[in-house]
Amino acid sequence: MLSDIEIAQRSTMLPIVEIAEKINLIEDDLELYGKYKAKINLKRINQLAGQKKPAGKLVLVTSINPTPAGEGKTTVSVGLADALNYLEQSTILALREPSLGPTMGMKGGAAGGGYAQVMPMEDINMHFTGDMHALTAANNALSAFIDNHLYQGNGCQINPATITWKRALDLNDRALRNIVVGLGGRFNGVPREDGFDITVASEMMAILCLATDIDDLKNRLSHIVIGETYDRQMVTVADLKVQGALALLLKDAIKPNLVQTLYHTPALVHGGPFANIAHGCNSVLATQTAMKLADYTVTEAGFGADLGAEKFLDIKVPQLEKAPDVVVIVATIRALKMHGGVVKTELAHENIEALKKGFANLKKHIENMQNYGLPVVVAINEFSSDTEKEETCLKEMIEALGVPVALTSVWEKGPVGGIELAKAVIETAEKQSSDFVPLYDMKKRTIQEKVTTIVTDIYGGSGVQFSKKAKKQMQTFAERGWDHLPICMAKTQYSLSDDPTQLGRPTGFDVTIREFVPKLGAGFIVALTGQVLTMPGLPKKPAALQMDITEDGEIKGLF
Amino acid sequence: MLSDIEIAQRSTMLPIVEIAEKINLIEDDLELYGKYKAKINLKRINQLAGQKKPAGKLVLVTSINPTPAGEGKTTVSVGLADALNYLEQSTILALREPSLGPTMGMKGGAAGGGYAQVMPMEDINMHFTGDMHALTAANNALSAFIDNHLYQGNGCQINPATITWKRALDLNDRALRNIVVGLGGRFNGVPREDGFDITVASEMMAILCLATDIDDLKNRLSHIVIGETYDRQMVTVADLKVQGALALLLKDAIKPNLVQTLYHTPALVHGGPFANIAHGCNSVLATQTAMKLADYTVTEAGFGADLGAEKFLDIKVPQLEKAPDVVVIVATIRALKMHGGVVKTELAHENIEALKKGFANLKKHIENMQNYGLPVVVAINEFSSDTEKEETCLKEMIEALGVPVALTSVWEKGPVGGIELAKAVIETAEKQSSDFVPLYDMKKRTIQEKVTTIVTDIYGGSGVQFSKKAKKQMQTFAERGWDHLPICMAKTQYSLSDDPTQLGRPTGFDVTIREFVPKLGAGFIVALTGQVLTMPGLPKKPAALQMDITEDGEIKGLF
């Protein structure tokens, strides 16, 4: 089998204006970035938002708790969209933008894989249309304004020790996690502790992805809390009066990006927040636009359904004003066997017992999605090591729950490998009606109640331990009127619990909330369950060592 | 008079494909970034480079030593190009890209002003086509690779205390000048001192601007010296094996950007290195391309002629393989009066004596350019406070040197205000032949000789004091075979001497070289004469406070 980049290089893209035509966009609706990338302008976006035409069906792709065995959620999303188009359903794919940091670090892109890829993958995985860089610039401009405020002694007296706004770069760089800035004497700023997050973990990214228009963007930016004054009053971006400048820096980044899959399915690839410290979905604007332009929109949430889908449903859906019509949960036999206790090196061996045990993880995610009132389809993403007996066993267990299941092999076969899944999705969308019930009433429930509901109902835990600090914060936040906001859980993606080693379907556990972080710009309150890494590091041998570009522009080693 | 952004907003741009047609570029030669910006692809660039057709005339615009009174060098460059086109000379403007840092800080863009602007100014002054951000990413990726190397203990043992490669952001942020990274214990990197430069001051930027193709880019990247091992062997990017990845990150940034002026003159705006720590000119590729496509190319060098033009001639010309046909030196009566001792608040008053005294500065720059064998034209950029008597006096002094002089008022009048200058340039280019003699023989002269020649011949100083450290470095560099490289002087732009308070034409001074910095990637050796600020700070009231964008996309307060 060819590598991802080889497959991509051997395929032919259509000019993006031709892709746009398929979904009734004309060249004037686009801002071209080369021949194969475009942004959709806000005029057209706003016009679509104002149309009375009902939105198309929304398919949310999520997965079991991820394991080192790999689930291929993005690949399945791409392949499903291709297969839906193959079956002559007008379909748009709405995905997140990959981050450059992991691209330089690990082998493996984030634009799908094999014969289910989004193109041009070398651009999407690098600078793309500059959204990440614009976010980085806006994020760090705010930091510069804060430090300039300290240095110049402007207006309110910010206490340097209370500044929570961190700098950001779209790179994996552990040496920037904890730094001291402002050294070098009185002409070089005020010394203080600081750190860099990877851009996708920044509140700036979450804001861009949840904003519904420029005014909403500016409003969210103005509410960002950056720290406190010496008399413990909170300081926001509005106090620094730079929300206009920050919005100006994001004026192009807010526009959804149009690209295509290997099989010319239109793809809106826009926004890419982390799914722990942030909500882990592509932008509201892109998803809304896709639903106005196509009969089916296939989108994806980060990590497993306990993190990504829960946040999609409880944080994004209220902005989107539309719940999914079908939820596709991706699982692999290999990953379920890991959830059943098999180590990575033993995955090639048939192991029905482990599969049955690990199935508990998938079952819990199915139940969770059904409890939201959403129709579920399970996609088993095939691997060559899967045995027929394992496949039959897994299908039977899923069908016993009354849930449609489909084998997919889009990585190897492209759209043809996704027809079974696409048919199951269409049938489910047409027969079952989505009857969405939010997990909690955002406005009426307290922070404590909301966190507890997520832990008991979604994670299957017994209860929640709040640290002394967290308790005090809940009181303060209530006094400040912040308890109407949804909760964004920062938890390990590897387990339903807050302990990454507890695979399968752990029970009887408590989740400990160490601390809350108010993200008033994004409009949610992050609940930290443990140490959350917001700046990854590079591995011993970064993928960058293999990368190259030749004189005639041929790219090597990207994946 | 309208503000720059108001003038820009009221004018109409032509689609960039129409601008391209004027200079025989077809749509297939372009990579569009929206309707009004494009990159020229490398295929076409290489094809042009291979053409036997002789290059068009090259006009280098430089100035007297800058003063707070303002000279308007970029504005004159834009207006001159517009006027040449107005006179039906096929002309391309080749300028540097502005940096976002100063845009957010000071009022005033870097894409010209008034009726001599490059458009779309709001994009050019912000993210443009992403070149700065790509450079920032490549610069910081290298830092991440270095710190990962330290952390992982890979290969050669870099001594953290010797690392000279700094991080970069395209912002004004004094708090990042001196930082400590790698704090937070053993899993968060190796603690060391570091700092951020503004991206335009980075060696990455100098490399991009001097590279003649992808192979040359990679070769230059591989030669960057990042620090030393514990046994004092220098460590280069080639040792880290990441030149391929860095070149890949710059694959689009290396392509020249095509935009237009208010009067639809094609403009290649590409690359923007500092003119003290780096060589201060737009990219070699853009200038070369412009010369192949037009009869006249108008380009600009940073700061005054002692810094920018000297570096253009001694650092860029060897790569460009073409010297200017005409040098335009921009002066204003206000600035010359400041050089003659008048303070800024008194500039509105007529002062012939101060003008005569300050003229010495202009005279020295004229002599310098003539000593290179280059025909000179002086452009007096008019201000409303200039009196007729002052204008007559200045013109007479210039004409007495046998140098053509022209009044320009392109800021107020557009191309019509530049006709006199354009005619003088055409006449000079047609009559006088450029007979370029480099200031020094790069390969045969020692570092000490080269520095001394610049100080005595260009600055008019008596001699050079080398610090103990500088002397030792010259010896080491000679041993390492680096003394064939040109010198890049890092000196104050405000004076011909190394003392910013010495205006006019100081004499009898020595220049002190504190230290050398080898920039083997860029291919020059920086000579530091004093403290050079490579990361600016924001003023007390940054321009950002006035910036805004409305719901319908109208931009406010950019300038």
Side-chain angles (χ1 to χ4, degrees), chain A residues 28 31-35 46 100 104 122-123 126-127 133-134 136-137 140-141 143-145 147-148 151-154 167 169 171-184 187-189 196 213-216 218 240-242 244-245 247-252 538-540 542 544-545 547-551 555-556 558, chain B residues 28 31-35 46 100 104 122-123 126-127 133-134 136-137 140-141 143-145 147-148 151-154 167 169 171-184 187-189 196 213-216 218 240-242 244-245 247-252 538-540 542 544-545 547-551 555-556 558:
Chain A
D28 264 358
E31 293 168 10
L32 296 178
Y33 284 68
K35 257 194 195 125
N46 294 338
L100 184 60
M104 289 281 133
E122 64 276 23
D123 288 354
M126 302 249 292
H127 310 296
H133 293 322
T136 302
N140 296 328
S143 291
F145 296 137
D147 277 305
N148 191 52
Y151 174 80
Q152 306 279 2
N154 284 353
R167 289 174 160 88
L169 278 178
L171 285 171
N172 285 12
D173 193 345
R174 68 172 66 72
L176 291 178
R177 285 176 192 155
N178 302 288
I179 67 173
V180 173
V181 301
L183 299 172
F187 297 111
N188 297 303
F196 279 77
D213 56 32
I214 292 275
D215 279 348
D216 184 44
K218 248 193 297 185
L240 300 176
K241 302 183 181 68
V242 292
L248 186 55
L249 284 168
L250 299 175
K251 78 179 174 67
D252 296 312
L538 288 168
K540 192 162 169 69
L545 297 179
M547 293 180 187
D548 201 5
I549 177 166
T550 64
E551 182 60 30
I555 291 164
K556 288 179 182 168
L558 200 49
Chain B
D28 263 359
E31 293 168 10
L32 296 178
Y33 284 68
K35 255 192 195 127
N46 294 338
L100 184 59
M104 289 281 132
E122 65 276 22
D123 287 354
M126 303 248 294
H127 309 296
H133 293 321
T136 302
N140 296 329
S143 291
F145 296 137
D147 277 304
N148 191 52
Y151 174 79
Q152 307 278 3
N154 285 353
R167 288 174 161 89
L169 278 178
L171 285 170
N172 285 13
D173 194 345
R174 68 172 68 70
L176 291 178
R177 284 176 193 154
N178 303 288
I179 67 174
V180 173
V181 301
L183 299 172
F187 297 110
N188 297 302
F196 279 76
D213 56 31
I214 292 274
D215 278 349
D216 185 41
K218 246 190 303 186
L240 300 176
K241 302 184 182 66
V242 292
L248 186 55
L249 284 168
L250 298 175
K251 79 180 174 64
D252 295 311
L538 289 167
K540 192 163 169 68
L545 298 180
M547 293 180 187
D548 201 5
I549 177 166
T550 64
E551 182 58 32
I555 291 164
K556 287 178 183 169
L558 200 50

Side-chain angles (χ1 to χ4, degrees), chain B residues 117-376:
Chain B
Q117 288 188 54
V118 184
M119 310 250 289
M121 68 90 94
E122 65 276 22
D123 287 354
I124 296 173
N125 279 299
M126 303 248 294
H127 309 296
F128 200 23
T129 56
D131 296 345
M132 294 287 175
H133 293 321
L135 285 161
T136 302
N139 188 103
N140 296 329
L142 177 51
S143 291
F145 296 137
I146 293 168
D147 277 304
N148 191 52
H149 189 100
L150 290 179
Y151 174 79
Q152 307 278 3
N154 285 353
C156 64
Q157 296 286 309
I158 304 171
N159 178 352
T162 65
I163 295 171
T164 45
W165 185 258
K166 288 167 80 179
R167 288 174 161 89
L169 278 178
D170 187 25
L171 285 170
N172 285 13
D173 194 345
R174 68 172 68 70
L176 291 178
R177 284 176 193 154
N178 303 288
I179 67 174
V180 173
V181 301
L183 299 172
R186 61 180 293 198
F187 297 110
N188 297 302
V190 177
R192 65 178 183 93
E193 289 182 50
D194 196 7
F196 279 76
D197 288 338
I198 190 164
T199 302
V200 287
S202 69
E203 186 173 0
M204 221 34 110
M205 171 59 96
I207 287 172
L208 188 85
C209 289
L210 289 167
T212 51
D213 56 31
I214 292 274
D215 278 349
D216 185 41
L217 175 70
K218 246 190 303 186
N219 187 41
R220 287 172 186 270
L221 289 168
S222 69
H223 283 93
I224 294 172
V225 176
I226 62 99
E228 291 179 1
T229 59
Y230 281 102
D231 53 357
R232 310 220 60 175
Q233 299 302 302
M234 65 170 185
V235 180
T236 64
V237 165
D239 294 320
L240 300 176
K241 302 184 182 66
V242 292
Q243 62 273 21
L246 299 179
L248 186 55
L249 284 168
L250 298 175
K251 79 180 174 64
D252 295 311
I254 198 176
K255 302 168 192 164
N257 306 299
L258 178 65
V259 285
Q260 64 190 289
T261 69
L262 281 177
Y263 297 89
H264 314 311
T265 298
L268 292 177
V269 177
H270 190 224
F274 262 25
N276 47 31
I277 196 84
H279 63 292
C281 331
N282 75 321
S283 78
V284 165
L285 273 183
T287 312
Q288 270 177 345
T289 303
M291 292 190 299
K292 285 290 184 175
L293 291 169
D295 295 335
Y296 279 91
T297 294
V298 177
T299 192
E300 184 198 10
F303 294 143
D306 53 330
L307 279 175
E310 185 270 314
K311 290 171 185 179
F312 187 98
L313 299 169
D314 295 319
I315 297 176
K316 182 172 171 178
V317 163
Q319 306 304 315
L320 201 58
E321 297 178 344
K322 168 96 170 82
D325 295 279
V326 181
V327 176
V328 173
I329 304 179
V330 179
T332 64
I333 286 168
R334 291 160 58 87
L336 289 175
K337 286 194 289 190
M338 283 200 91
H339 276 293
V342 177
V343 296
K344 201 179 170 187
T345 48
E346 298 293 320
L347 287 176
H349 305 299
E350 183 176 275
N351 191 333
I352 298 293
E353 199 186 341
L355 179 63
K356 283 183 177 168
K357 202 172 154 213
F359 174 71
N361 186 271
L362 173 59
K363 186 158 177 275
K364 174 61 177 156
H365 291 298
I366 295 173
E367 290 169 11
N368 284 349
M369 294 302 111
Q370 288 176 331
N371 286 341
Y372 276 102
L374 301 173
V376 174

Side-chain angles (χ1 to χ4, degrees), chain A residues 54-369:
Chain A
K57 305 260 185 207
L58 181 61
V59 182
L60 174 65
V61 180
T62 181
S63 80
I64 58 171
N65 290 91
T67 70
E71 288 69 44
K73 190 175 49 186
T74 305
T75 304
V76 170
S77 302
V78 177
L80 170 58
D82 282 339
L84 284 165
N85 263 326
Y86 184 87
L87 297 176
E88 297 187 344
Q89 305 292 322
S90 150
T91 304
I92 296 179
L93 183 64
L95 292 183
R96 287 172 294 167
E97 298 181 52
S99 165
L100 184 60
T103 300
M104 289 281 133
M106 324 278 195
K107 228 177 144 103
Y115 289 92
Q117 288 190 54
V118 185
M119 310 250 287
M121 69 91 93
E122 64 276 23
D123 288 354
I124 295 173
N125 279 298
M126 302 249 292
H127 310 296
F128 199 20
T129 57
D131 297 344
M132 293 287 173
H133 293 322
L135 285 161
T136 302
N139 188 103
N140 296 328
L142 177 52
S143 291
F145 296 137
I146 293 168
D147 277 305
N148 191 52
H149 189 100
L150 290 179
Y151 174 80
Q152 306 279 2
N154 284 353
C156 65
Q157 295 285 309
I158 304 171
N159 178 351
T162 66
I163 295 171
T164 45
W165 185 258
K166 289 167 79 179
R167 289 174 160 88
L169 278 178
D170 188 24
L171 285 171
N172 285 12
D173 193 345
R174 68 172 66 72
L176 291 178
R177 285 176 192 155
N178 302 288
I179 67 173
V180 173
V181 301
L183 299 172
R186 60 180 296 198
F187 297 111
N188 297 303
V190 177
R192 64 178 183 92
E193 288 182 50
D194 196 7
F196 279 77
D197 288 337
I198 189 165
T199 302
V200 287
S202 70
E203 186 173 1
M204 221 35 110
M205 171 59 95
I207 288 173
L208 188 86
C209 289
L210 289 168
T212 51
D213 56 32
I214 292 275
D215 279 348
D216 184 44
L217 175 70
K218 248 193 297 185
N219 187 41
R220 286 172 185 272
L221 290 167
S222 68
H223 284 92
I224 294 172
V225 176
I226 62 101
E228 292 179 1
T229 59
Y230 280 103
D231 52 358
R232 311 221 59 177
Q233 299 301 302
M234 65 171 185
V235 181
T236 65
V237 164
D239 294 319
L240 300 176
K241 302 183 181 68
V242 292
Q243 64 272 24
L246 299 180
L248 186 55
L249 284 168
L250 299 175
K251 78 179 174 67
D252 296 312
I254 198 176
K255 303 169 191 162
N257 306 299
L258 178 65
V259 287
Q260 65 191 288
T261 69
L262 280 178
Y263 296 90
H264 314 310
T265 299
L268 292 176
V269 177
H270 190 225
F274 261 28
N276 48 29
I277 196 83
H279 63 291
C281 332
N282 75 320
S283 78
V284 165
L285 274 182
T287 312
Q288 271 178 343
T289 303
M291 291 190 299
K292 287 288 185 178
L293 291 168
D295 295 334
Y296 280 89
T297 294
V298 177
T299 190
E300 183 200 9
F303 294 144
D306 53 331
L307 279 174
E310 184 271 314
K311 290 172 186 180
F312 187 97
L313 299 170
D314 295 319
I315 297 176
K316 182 172 172 178
V317 163
Q319 307 303 315
L320 201 57
E321 298 178 342
K322 168 97 171 81
D325 296 280
V326 180
V327 176
V328 172
I329 304 179
V330 179
T332 63
I333 287 169
R334 291 160 58 88
L336 289 175
K337 287 194 288 188
M338 283 199 93
H339 276 292
V342 176
V343 296
K344 201 177 168 187
T345 46
E346 298 294 319
L347 289 175
H349 305 301
E350 183 177 272
N351 191 334
I352 298 293
E353 198 187 343
L355 178 62
K356 283 183 178 169
K357 202 173 154 212
F359 174 70
N361 186 270
L362 173 58
K363 187 159 176 274
K364 174 62 176 155
H365 291 298
I366 294 173
E367 290 168 12
N368 285 349
M369 294 302 110

Side-chain angles (χ1 to χ4, degrees), chain B residues 19-38:
Chain B
I19 299 292
E21 273 169 26
K22 289 191 192 188
I23 46 175
N24 294 317
L25 294 175
I26 59 169
E27 198 167 338
D28 263 359
D29 299 329
L30 304 180
E31 293 168 10
L32 296 178
Y33 284 68
K35 255 192 195 127
Y36 305 108
K37 297 167 285 178

